[in-house]
């Protein structure tokens, strides 16, 4: 009964996440609490994080949801803490897409390392009424999100947005993870400058790119910059 969805968007195109209200929820009275969507970021920084936070928050708010942003990913909720989260409003997110980084910050905390941490996360979601969770991150965050969805069953619907400059998540062909294209563009600019230096002071320059176990970023940098050798 677990429900995990991976959402991918093409570079520079708007991210679309749909929210729907059940008949009972749409007819709820003002005295009843709104359904809650949680958003968090995991892993390293990547361009576009604030854009995703803004798009998801605005879509959820428009559909009648309350949006809670969890600070520094799974770090604090893995400890069972509910004091490191904020309610996101239209004013909070409507202009953040032009800014770098993440207003929710990020961390590499992984709640799947300990059963206690996994249970703490689920308990925090129950206490705050979170029925839908949007995670923004790479391979490690995707695994954490999937594990949470499995353990929560039909109590928590999870959407993972693939964010990593490594481009190492299994998406459809021609669908890069967001952050990868920008990293390639910036990296190729740096390599172009190094090539000019190598002409001035004749010698080989060695450039090492990130990517964990994947070589997508290194290969892309080599191709776009016209490197002599990409091992």
């Amino acid at each position: 009964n677990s429900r995990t969805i991976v959402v991918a968007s093409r570079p520079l195109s708007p991210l679309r996440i749909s929210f729907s209200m059940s008949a009972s929820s749409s007819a709820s009275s003002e005295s009843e609490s709104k359904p809650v969507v949680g958003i968090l970021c995991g892993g390293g920084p990547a361009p576009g994080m604030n854009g995703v936070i803004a798009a998801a928050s605005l879509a959820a708010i428009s559909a009648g949801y309350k949006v809670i942003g969890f600070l520094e990913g799974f770090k604090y909720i893995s400890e069972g803490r509910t004091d490191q989260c904020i309610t996101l409003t239209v004013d909070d997110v409507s202009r953040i897409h032009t800014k770098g980084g993440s207003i929710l910050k990020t961390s590499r905390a992984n709640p799947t390392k300990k059963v206690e941490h996994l249970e703490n996360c689920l308990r925090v979601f129950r206490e705050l009424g979170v029925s839908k969770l949007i995670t923004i991150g790479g391979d490690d965050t995707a695994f954490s999100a999937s594990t949470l969805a499995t353990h929560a069953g039909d109590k928590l619907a999870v959407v993972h947005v693939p964010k990593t400059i490594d481009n190492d998540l299994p998406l459809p062909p021609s669908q890069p993870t967001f952050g990868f294209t920008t990293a390639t563009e910036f990296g190729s600019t740096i390599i172009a400058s190094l090539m000019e230096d190598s002409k001035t002071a004749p010698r080989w320059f060695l450039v090492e790119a990130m990517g964990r176990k994947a070589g997508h970023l290194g290969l892309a940098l080599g191709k776009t910059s016209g490197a002599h050798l990409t091992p």
Side-chain angles (χ1 to χ4, degrees):
N1 292 326
S2 62
R3 296 170 289 172
T4 307
I5 305 172
V6 173
V7 177
S9 62
R10 294 183 183 277
L12 302 182
S13 65
L15 176 68
R16 294 180 175 87
I17 300 177
S18 298
F19 294 89
S20 61
M21 300 280 285
S22 64
S24 59
S25 296
S26 60
S28 61
S29 64
E30 294 183 358
S31 61
E32 293 178 329
S33 60
K34 293 181 178 180
V36 181
V37 174
I39 302 178
L40 60 81
C41 301
M49 297 171 75
N50 276 334
V52 177
I53 294 171
S57 297
L58 293 173
I61 293 170
S62 295
Y65 286 79
K66 175 182 178 181
V67 180
I68 294 179
F70 294 98
L71 302 179
E72 297 188 48
F74 291 109
K75 179 178 179 180
Y76 297 109
I77 56 177
S78 291
E79 301 170 357
R81 295 174 58 178
T82 59
D83 61 332
Q84 294 298 312
C85 61
I86 56 176
T87 299
L88 297 176
T89 66
V90 172
D91 288 340
D92 292 329
V93 303
S94 62
R95 293 295 178 267
I96 63 173
H97 61 285
T98 61
K99 301 178 181 179
S102 164
I103 62 168
L104 298 178
K105 305 189 183 302
T106 184
S107 76
R108 297 190 181 277
N110 186 335
T112 66
K113 299 294 185 181
K114 294 183 179 180
V115 175
E116 177 186 357
H117 291 169
L118 196 65
E119 293 176 345
N120 283 340
C121 288
L122 295 175
R123 179 172 56 80
V124 168
F125 295 149
R126 287 195 301 270
E127 290 180 1
L128 297 178
V130 176
S131 59
K132 291 178 173 59
L133 177 67
I134 299 172
T135 56
I136 304 167
D139 180 69
D140 200 48
T141 308
F143 178 76
S144 296
S146 177
T147 304
L148 281 168
T150 299
H151 282 73
D154 60 359
K155 302 297 184 182
L156 183 68
V158 178
V159 171
H160 180 71
V161 188
K163 176 271 314 167
T164 171
I165 65 173
D166 301 337
N167 198 32
D168 59 350
L169 289 174
L171 302 180
S174 75
Q175 291 280 352
T177 57
F178 79 85
F180 172 74
T181 302
T182 306
T184 301
E185 292 176 354
F186 272 77
S188 60
T189 301
I190 294 172
I191 294 175
S193 297
L194 290 176
M195 286 182 169
E196 291 301 318
D197 286 348
S198 70
K199 294 177 183 178
T200 305
R203 58 174 56 89
W204 285 90
F205 279 69
L206 178 65
V207 178
E208 181 179 3
M210 295 177 63
R212 301 214 313 176
K213 297 180 180 179
H216 304 297
L217 181 57
L219 179 60
L221 290 173
K223 291 171 63 177
T224 56
S225 62
H228 290 85
L229 178 64
T230 306

